[in-house]
Amino acid sequence: MNFAELLETRAIEKGEETFLLFGDERVSYAELDRRANRIANGLAALGVGPGGGVAIMMGNSHSWLATFFATQKLGAYAVPVNVALRGEGLAYVLDHSETQALVIGADLLEAFLPLQAGLARVRHVIVDPGDAPSPTLPAGTLPMAHLAASSAERPAARATPNSTAVLLYTSGTTGLPKAVVVKHGGFSFAGLSIFAQLGYRAGDILYTCLPLFHANALFLTTMQGLHSGYAVALGRRFSASRFWDEVRRYGATSFNALGAMIPILLKQPPRPDDKDNPVRLVFSAATPAWAWEEFERRFDVTIWEGYGAVDGGGFMLFNFGNGPKGSMGLPPPGTEARVVREDGSEGDADEVGELVFKVDDPEARRVSYLKNEQASNAKIRDGWFYTGDLAWRDAQGFFYFADRKTDSIRRRGENISSFEVEKIINQHPAVLESAAFGVPSELSEDDVMVAVVCRPGARVGPEELVAFCTERMARFMVPRYIEFRDVIPKTETHRVQKTLLKRTGVTANTWDREKSQKH
């Protein structure tokens, strides 16, 4: 079953039952299917058909999902575009993906129009008004209403299993983004059923405020709900101050959390109604052990942890409450995972190395990057799938996240996990969040630098923060440089853009521990 067939099947089975909650709107399975048909027929009238590329650059909305399913019904492929992209980064994605049509929010037109003349492949630009009642459209563009006025009958075009369904671009934090190819017949819904079997209950409502252009919101929440028969509540974006109020508004019983979401929510001022929320179960990635139990207790929820990646070959780790807090858990039965050294040998317990999985089916596990055969081939070596993530395993066999391999810091012969440095600094009561990264050292290799954002109204001096670190981490991990910032640059999926931080490096506003000690 591909994505289009899944929606069509649920529309027949569930009809006018509510599937999507967004703002004040309630969209049924059948209505979403009809909207997708109209957009699909409108795109077909413009010449989009099997094998054609349609980029979607909009904020979270029902129109985003209807457009996505429209591409699937035509046997075309969707290109979800990060709404924060501008300039060369945006032009690269639209050109590299060979996008034929672009469906874009009216509020994002200003990012695209300066690039339009250089993107000859983008023959059609369709503008979704969003919250604007009737925006003035530039010449050569079409309103979404033009497509939505088409027939609601199912289009005749159908997808072939081996054709491209979705191009999912990585965040590109260490270079040009790579496009992961998802085939119409290549997405496995089996992994999603694990959540439904073990964690969800009849009547559950799954909430996400993560962007739909990211696999977590699109697959783990939206497709999860559609496949397993649960309603999906869609937020526009993550807001720590409004998060729980929106969850209550929708009556959501579960949500997914990425990155620093759990610690940031935990750092919000306590409220008397913290436990008065409908959430029962939280699926998270990289929740630090220090925050795990406190979050569960304060908000009266249960956290389950998991590991996976859009270019991870379908391999996963799960901690369904059966592992220590802070652990990613174990691989499913029949899957073998290891932590290996640079030479490929297996590391000892508690030793940090790269997380790898034993490949059972090389063809099924192969990750295909568009126009990048070298990167595709590099993922599997000697029968093992190399994730690019650093981890360690305890004596009982449970796995723990250590760092992105590209974010690891090398200082005076020691490998330092930026994730571990951040985890400790974030425990300081004055700190909202932090980002640790390496900057060039005059002694070769790196020195540790940390960007720190304080909680509203809170302050901490660099000397106090260093003293806090010295008591809790190895001396070689203690930051040399500290810079206090109002914000830390992030992607729309809340992943810190460490490339930007490294590029800026030490500035006039940076506190230097070594210089401070000399005075």
Side-chain angles (χ1 to χ4, degrees):
M1 185 181 295
N2 59 38
F3 298 121
E5 292 166 343
L6 175 60
L7 176 60
E8 290 163 356
T9 300
R10 293 294 176 265
I12 293 171
E13 293 175 346
K14 294 181 172 289
E16 301 306 324
E17 182 180 329
T18 296
F19 168 62
L20 184 66
L21 298 85
F22 178 72
D24 294 329
E25 289 201 68
R26 301 294 182 268
V27 181
S28 70
Y29 292 86
E31 177 59 23
L32 182 60
D33 188 54
R34 289 191 291 269
R35 293 184 188 187
N37 284 342
R38 291 189 181 98
I39 295 173
N41 287 318
L43 288 171
L46 296 176
V48 178
V54 179
I56 308 172
M57 188 175 181
M58 294 187 284
N60 284 1
S61 68
H62 52 78
S63 291
W64 199 107
L65 287 172
T67 303
F68 174 83
F69 284 110
T71 65
Q72 305 305 289
K73 287 170 174 286
L74 291 175
Y77 60 89
V79 185
V81 178
N82 187 325
V83 297
L85 288 179
R86 298 293 186 273
E88 292 182 6
L90 176 56
Y92 173 80
V93 168
L94 295 177
D95 180 66
H96 182 260
S97 63
E98 300 185 10
T99 287
Q100 180 180 352
L102 168 66
V103 182
I104 186 169
D107 58 326
L108 297 169
L109 269 175
E110 63 179 5
F112 169 73
L113 292 178
L115 311 172
Q116 187 172 13
L119 295 168
R121 286 196 183 101
V122 183
R123 298 198 296 273
H124 307 286
V125 179
I126 299 100
V127 182
D128 183 82
D131 294 329
S134 55
T136 301
L137 301 185
T141 66
L142 290 171
M144 177 65 90
H146 180 84
L147 272 60
S150 302
S151 168
E153 294 298 316
R154 172 179 144 173
R158 291 284 94 178
T160 56
N162 289 324
S163 60
T164 300
V166 192
L167 294 180
L168 287 169
Y169 279 82
T170 62
S171 57
T173 54
T174 57
L176 288 173
K178 297 189 290 289
V180 181
V181 178
V182 179
K183 299 293 183 67
H184 279 285
F187 186 84
S188 173
F189 292 96
L192 299 182
S193 64
I194 295 176
F195 296 91
Q197 292 169 11
L198 298 180
Y200 294 139
R201 302 173 184 170
D204 273 347
I205 298 175
L206 317 185
Y207 171 77
T208 185
C209 56
L210 295 169
L212 285 168
F213 62 72
H214 188 262
N216 187 289
L218 181 58
F219 295 149
L220 293 187
T221 300
T222 305
M223 294 304 166
Q224 169 77 254
L226 190 60
H227 179 261
S228 303
Y230 302 105
V232 171
L234 186 61
R236 294 183 186 276
R237 62 187 63 84
F238 174 63
S239 168
S241 61
R242 298 192 301 269
F243 183 87
W244 290 108
D245 289 337
E246 187 162 73
V247 163
R248 294 184 185 97
R249 173 188 184 185
Y250 291 126
T253 55
S254 181
F255 67 87
N256 281 5
L258 283 181
M261 286 174 63
I262 294 292
I264 287 176
L265 287 171
L266 200 52
K267 294 273 181 140
Q268 294 301 298
R271 290 173 26 170
D273 63 348
D274 277 340
K275 290 186 177 181
D276 183 18
N277 70 78
V279 174
R280 183 184 73 258
L281 191 60
V282 178
F283 288 101
S284 82
T287 292
W290 68 267
W292 191 312
E293 187 171 352
E294 185 180 351
F295 192 88
E296 289 185 324
R297 182 173 58 251
R298 174 174 166 181
F299 297 106
D300 192 24
V301 299
T302 296
I303 293 177
W304 283 1
E305 183 83 359
Y307 169 88
V310 67
D311 55 354
F315 289 108
M316 294 182 179
L317 298 170
F318 296 109
N319 182 351
F320 294 123
N322 58 337
K325 296 185 187 301
S327 165
M328 297 185 290
L330 301 169
T335 300
E336 182 180 355
R338 289 182 180 177
V339 173
V340 299
R341 305 183 180 102
E342 287 290 337
D343 62 4
S345 61
E346 186 170 9
D348 297 327
D350 301 334
E351 181 179 351
V352 174
E354 185 166 358
L355 176 64
V356 300
F357 291 89
K358 182 70 173 177
V359 175
D360 45 1
D361 184 339
E363 186 58 35
R365 298 296 187 180
R366 177 178 171 79
V367 173
S368 178
Y369 294 113
L370 182 70
K371 304 175 186 177
N372 196 337
E373 194 74 8
Q374 182 178 359
S376 301
N377 293 335
K379 297 293 287 187
I380 296 177
R381 304 196 298 273
D382 300 322
W384 291 88
F385 188 97
Y386 282 72
T387 64
D389 287 325
L390 299 177
W392 55 279
R393 185 168 58 176
D394 65 19
Q396 287 71 46
F398 291 97
F399 290 84
Y400 299 76
F401 182 78
D403 211 353
R404 304 289 182 190
K405 196 171 184 181
T406 52
D407 289 345
S408 181
I409 304 167
R410 180 80 174 175
R411 180 176 185 266
R412 301 180 187 180
E414 299 281 358
N415 289 317
I416 300 171
S417 164
S418 65
F419 179 76
E420 289 296 317
V421 174
E422 293 159 2
K423 184 168 68 174
I424 292 171
I425 290 177
N426 290 347
Q427 293 180 55
H428 191 285
V431 174
L432 178 65
E433 58 180 335
S434 64
F437 53 99
V439 293
S441 169
E442 61 265 28
L443 301 177
S444 79
E445 296 184 334
D446 297 323
D447 275 317
V448 180
M449 181 168 174
V450 181
V452 177
V453 176
C454 288
R455 297 174 66 177
R459 292 290 181 269
V460 59
E463 294 90 348
E464 180 186 341
L465 199 55
V466 164
F468 183 84
C469 292
T470 302
E471 294 176 357
R472 294 165 173 80
M473 64 176 68
R475 292 192 64 84
F476 63 82
M477 296 173 65
V478 177
R480 171 179 173 178
Y481 299 107
I482 296 176
E483 184 165 309
F484 293 96
R485 288 170 160 251
D486 294 330
V487 294
I488 290 174
K490 297 178 183 175
T491 66
E492 291 291 314
T493 52
H494 310 289
R495 183 175 175 182
V496 173
Q497 293 180 302
K498 293 194 175 178
T499 301
L500 297 181
L501 292 173
K502 291 176 183 178
R503 190 180 302 156
T504 304
V506 177
T507 72
N509 297 321
T510 304
W511 180 82
D512 183 344
R513 175 164 56 97
E514 293 191 3
K515 286 184 178 179
S516 174
Q517 291 171 346
K518 292 177 182 177
H519 289 80

